[in-house]
Structure formats: C-alpha cells, structure tokens
Amino acid sequence: MKKFLYCVILLCAGMVYAAESESAVAESAQAEEARRLDTIRYGTEVEIATLIQTLKSETNADIGDVLDDALIAVTQNTRNQNILSGVLSFFGERGKQGLEERAVRAIEERDEEANATVIAALDYLGKIKAASAIPTLKAILDTSETRFTNSAIRAMGRAASDGGAVGDDATEYLLDYYEYQNPTDESRREIIVALGETSSKTALPLLIGIVENDAERPTVRMAALDALAKLKDDSALDAILSATSASDTNVRASAIAALGPFSGAQVEDAILEGFRDSYYRTRIGAAKAAGERKLASAVPYLRFRAERDDVATVKDEAIRALGAIGNSEAMGVLSDFFLNRKTAERTRLLSAEMLIKNDASAYAEQLITELEEANKSHYTSLYNGFLRVLSMAKTSKVEEITRRFLSSGGVLEKSYALDIAANNSFTSLAELIRAVASDTKNSGLARKAQTTLTKLGLE
C-alpha cells in the first residue's frame, strides 16, 4: 500500500512539474511577443530593421497575426524609408497581403516618398500578384518616369500572372509600350520577361519574332526564349529548336533550357546534343531541361556529367536532374554517389538530398549511418551537411534519432531535430521540445522550439 501511495505521489509531482514547465514556456513566449510588439510600436528604425532581420532568419517560423498587424499599423502613417521599405520587403518575401493600400499610396504620393520606398512598393505589389494594382502600374508607366519604369514593368507582369482577361489586358498594354513608347534596351528586356509572366498567348508573335532575329541583341533573345518556355505553346517550338544552333553561346544555352516544357523526338535529340556542347551553360540548360521533362534517356549523360564535368555547377545540375527524373536507374546512380565515401563531399551531399526528397523511407537509415560515420571521423562539414539533409526527411524512421538529438544533442542537432519533428508531426516528442523551449541558455533555439510546438498543435 505504501509503495502504491509513493507511486501516486511521484505521478502527481510529475504532472505538477509538467504543468509548471508548460506554463513557463507559454509565459516566456508571451513575454517575447510583447517585447517584439513594443519594438514595433515604439522602436527606432534601426531597432525595427533589426527585428525584421531576426524574423526573416527564423526559417519557416509562423510570425503570427498579432505581429503582422502591428507591422501593418506602423506603416500606415510613417514615411521613414527604412521602416516602410523593410516591412514591404518582409511581407513581399512571404507573399503576405495587407499592405496593398499603403503600397499604392506610396506610388501615388511618390514625390513625397524616397525612391527606394516606391521601388519597394512596386516590388511588393508584384510579389503578391496584386491584379487590382494594375491601373496604378499603368499610370506610373504612362508618366515615363524612368527611375520607376523597370520596377513597374516587372510588377505588372507578376500582377497579371494568373492569366485570363487580366493577363491579356496587361499583355496588350506591354506590347503597345514596347512598340510605341521607345523603351530603353533594358526596359525592352524587362517587358519581354513580363510578357512571359502574364501567361497570355497574345505575346507569342512578338516573342517568336525576336528569337528568330539573328540581328537582335543576345540578352533580348535569351529573355524571349525564357518567356516562350513559360508560355509553353507548341507554335514556338520551331523557333526554339532553331535557336539551339545559334552562334551566340548564351542564346544557345537559353534555347536548350527552354525545351523543358516541350516533347517530341526532336526535342529529346536537341537536349541530349546539348550535353556535348563545349559551353558549360548549354550543358546546364540540357540538365535542367532533362530534369523538367523527366527524360529517362538522359540518365547516362547526366551520370557522365556528374562524375567528370570540369564545372562544379554542371555537376550540381546533373545531380538535381537525376533527382527530378527519379526512376530506378537515376536513383541507383544517386545511391552510388552517396554511398561511395571516396566521392567528393559536395556530390555526396547533393545526391543524399535528392534521395531523401524522393524516397526518405528507403534511404533514411543509410543516411543516419553515414551521418554517424562522418561524426566519428570528425568530418565536420560533411556531418553538418548530412544533418541538413536529414532535416528534410519525412518518415517515421527518423523519430529515434530526433529524440536523441533533442535530449542530448548540441545546438545544431537540436535545431535540426525541431525541423524534423515539425515536418513529421512527431507529437510524441512534445516533452523534449518543451524542455528546449524552456531553456534560457539559447533564446533563439527556445523560440524555435515554441514555434515547433505551435505547428504541432501542442501550444
């Protein structure tokens, strides 16, 4: 009986401790949010800018509506360039709406705003695809204020990228601007890029004509090729294929890369021939196109490039293309690279990343083995690289090592373990995550742990 009572007392004590610990974590999180809110409401431009950088660095963190609302509020009446530009940039990078009205106002009242603020507003409207802002963008282009022209063109292409009637209307305007407003060479290039963003077939005749014009500037032809690849219309295929034999090496490379969305024997032959090109960018284009098309016949070429090419970026793109193809042959090549400890570190890490992204369950245990071997051999950069790859794994086979990292790992191991827990919804690790969240020795890691609890629904 005494033993039973003793066990009950221990259980109750544990429950009390857990409740107190959870309460402490919640209080710490609330205090941190309150501190950040005070910084937004009363801080200097430097303090707010520093906070925004901190928020940006908290990868995949859920910033929360309270902080976002506070940032929106602080922009409404300020004309401080650093604050307004910083918040617009922060929201734009996340595709976060809420600043459309303020951005439009900054453009309309541009004589009272810093140029950097107006450009940030234009970029923001483009990044969130604000179709409602297209009339404002047209208005600023009609003024011929060259300081904002290219930013406004870029924003219009993105704002109209959902296509439909909005895309057609924006395309007609940009085509008219191209033909009759005498844009600079740089602005012409920006218009061509924007035409690719709009998804409108109305731009095809102009773009095809540019690609077929050998006298046109190479940078403009390259932009037109990229735009045609985005439009994915078969009527452009002959022009693209013709450009694969262009005398300019950069045009040739862009043409090969533009073949990715297309199909047919001619397309496959052109891509495979691109692997033989002495210009490295053409080989990169061939690898990207092969990956986009999941071109199985390219696997031997990609293996050769990954093993022997003398340009590191070509090797990288070949490995990524093998991952994109992802058939048994391609996965076998990647496995060979990954498991061969004599393979260059960069190749091993990228191969491991492709394997884990494609089939984490099949390769997680091998990755853990290689991770532990790298640690045992004191190969620090390889170990850290494998940790990063492991954090991408979505499989129950990484739960045990995640538990180990959370309980006894260093700061880096714990940080990646939190990513793994969030990616795999490992709610069974809640108490270990709470322990990290309540650790006062590393506030950044504690915040990340609290964010992880929120993602897991364990707040």
Side-chain angles (χ1 to χ4, degrees):
M1 184 67 180
K2 289 181 179 179
K3 187 176 181 180
F4 173 75
L5 289 172
Y6 179 69
C7 291
V8 171
I9 291 169
L10 284 178
L11 178 61
C12 291
M15 292 173 66
V16 169
Y17 174 79
E20 289 177 348
S21 175
E22 189 170 343
S23 175
V25 170
E27 288 176 4
S28 176
Q30 290 170 359
E32 177 64 15
E33 184 173 88
R35 186 185 67 79
R36 291 178 171 189
L37 278 172
D38 284 345
T39 299
I40 294 169
R41 290 167 177 161
Y42 315 117
T44 66
E45 61 182 77
V46 174
E47 291 165 339
I48 293 174
T50 301
L51 174 59
I52 289 174
Q53 288 304 314
T54 300
L55 294 173
K56 286 181 178 180
S57 69
E58 293 178 358
T59 310
N60 298 325
D62 183 4
I63 303 304
D65 291 338
V66 174
L67 289 180
D68 276 337
D69 290 345
L71 287 169
I72 292 172
V74 82
T75 65
Q76 295 309 306
N77 297 312
T78 185
R79 291 196 185 275
N80 184 293
Q81 172 189 329
N82 292 333
I83 292 176
L84 193 47
S85 298
V87 177
L88 285 165
S89 171
F90 181 47
F91 274 52
E93 287 178 10
R94 294 184 295 142
K96 180 77 175 181
Q97 297 180 342
L99 290 173
E100 298 88 36
E101 183 181 337
R102 183 64 184 92
V104 168
R105 180 151 56 91
I107 295 168
E108 292 175 344
E109 299 174 0
R110 54 191 173 276
D111 291 338
E112 300 174 32
E113 301 279 8
N115 285 352
T117 300
V118 179
I119 291 172
L122 290 165
D123 289 343
Y124 170 75
L125 293 171
K127 286 177 178 176
I128 65 164
K129 300 181 180 181
S132 61
I134 288 178
T136 301
L137 300 175
K138 289 181 180 178
I140 198 169
L141 285 170
D142 288 341
T143 65
S144 300
E145 294 182 66
T146 56
R147 54 186 174 153
F148 303 128
T149 297
N150 291 343
S151 295
I153 291 169
R154 279 194 298 273
M156 183 174 291
R158 292 169 177 170
S161 61
D162 286 338
V166 172
D168 289 339
D169 178 67
T171 297
E172 292 286 357
Y173 179 89
L174 290 170
L175 288 172
D176 182 81
Y177 196 96
Y178 188 93
E179 293 292 338
Y180 302 111
Q181 298 301 318
N182 194 29
T184 64
D185 287 341
E186 182 58 29
S187 294
R188 288 175 67 221
R189 182 187 172 281
E190 291 290 355
I191 290 170
I192 291 166
V193 172
L195 290 172
E197 297 280 358
T198 64
S199 305
S200 174
K201 309 298 184 184
T202 309
L204 285 168
L206 173 68
L207 297 174
I208 291 171
I210 291 171
V211 169
E212 292 177 334
N213 184 0
D214 291 336
E216 184 59 85
R217 293 170 62 236
T219 53
V220 175
R221 293 181 75 191
M222 290 161 62
L225 284 162
D226 291 344
L228 289 174
K230 291 178 180 178
L231 294 177
K232 303 176 184 179
D233 192 282
D234 286 340
S235 65
L237 183 55
D238 287 343
I240 297 172
L241 285 169
S242 176
T244 61
S245 58
S247 58
D248 185 273
T249 53
N250 287 301
V251 171
R252 202 162 64 236
S254 294
I256 292 292
L259 290 172
F262 299 93
S263 59
Q266 282 185 297
V267 173
E268 292 192 13
D269 290 345
I271 291 172
L272 296 180
E273 191 62 28
F275 286 111
R276 303 181 188 278
D277 199 295
S278 60
Y279 184 52
Y280 79 99
R281 289 191 184 278
T282 305
R283 301 196 297 279
I284 288 175
K288 288 182 176 179
E292 186 174 354
R293 294 201 64 250
K294 298 185 182 298
L295 186 58
S297 59
V299 171
Y301 292 84
L302 292 166
R303 177 168 198 152
F304 186 90
R305 285 297 131 212
E307 287 180 327
R308 304 192 197 181
D309 206 282
D310 56 359
V311 179
T313 49
V314 176
K315 289 184 176 183
D316 291 350
E317 289 302 333
I319 293 169
R320 291 190 183 99
L322 287 167
I325 293 170
N327 62 10
S328 58
E329 185 183 4
M331 294 292 277
V333 173
L334 292 169
S335 182
D336 289 345
F337 290 156
F338 165 53
L339 293 175
N340 185 350
R341 293 174 183 171
K342 293 182 180 180
T343 302
E345 179 180 309
R346 179 168 171 158
T347 299
R348 289 192 75 194
L349 289 173
L350 191 52
S351 296
E353 183 178 327
M354 296 300 105
L355 292 169
I356 289 298
K357 284 183 176 180
N358 280 353
D359 194 349
S361 294
Y363 295 97
E365 292 173 346
Q366 291 177 327
L367 176 58
I368 292 170
T369 299
E370 295 304 314
L371 171 79
E372 292 175 339
E373 176 62 27
N375 190 35
K376 179 181 174 182
S377 302
H378 304 292
Y379 295 149
T380 304
S381 63
L382 183 62
Y383 176 69
N384 291 343
F386 281 148
L387 274 177
R388 179 186 60 81
V389 174
L390 188 67
S391 72
M392 305 174 187
K394 293 185 177 182
T395 171
S396 60
K397 293 183 178 180
V398 297
E399 183 171 358
E400 189 52 41
I401 194 170
T402 307
R403 184 186 304 277
R404 195 177 82 208
F405 284 157
L406 287 171
S407 60
S408 60
V411 172
L412 190 62
E413 284 92 351
K414 287 181 178 177
S415 179
Y416 281 127
L418 292 170
D419 292 333
I420 300 170
N423 289 341
N424 290 278
S425 300
F426 287 156
T427 55
S428 60
L429 305 179
E431 290 311 310
L432 290 172
I433 298 171
R434 287 192 176 101
V436 177
S438 60
D439 186 357
T440 58
K441 294 178 182 178
N442 190 314
S443 59
L445 190 61
R447 283 196 301 272
K448 184 172 183 178
Q450 181 59 44
T451 300
T452 303
L453 289 170
T454 301
K455 289 179 179 178
L456 294 174
L458 299 169
E459 224 174 355

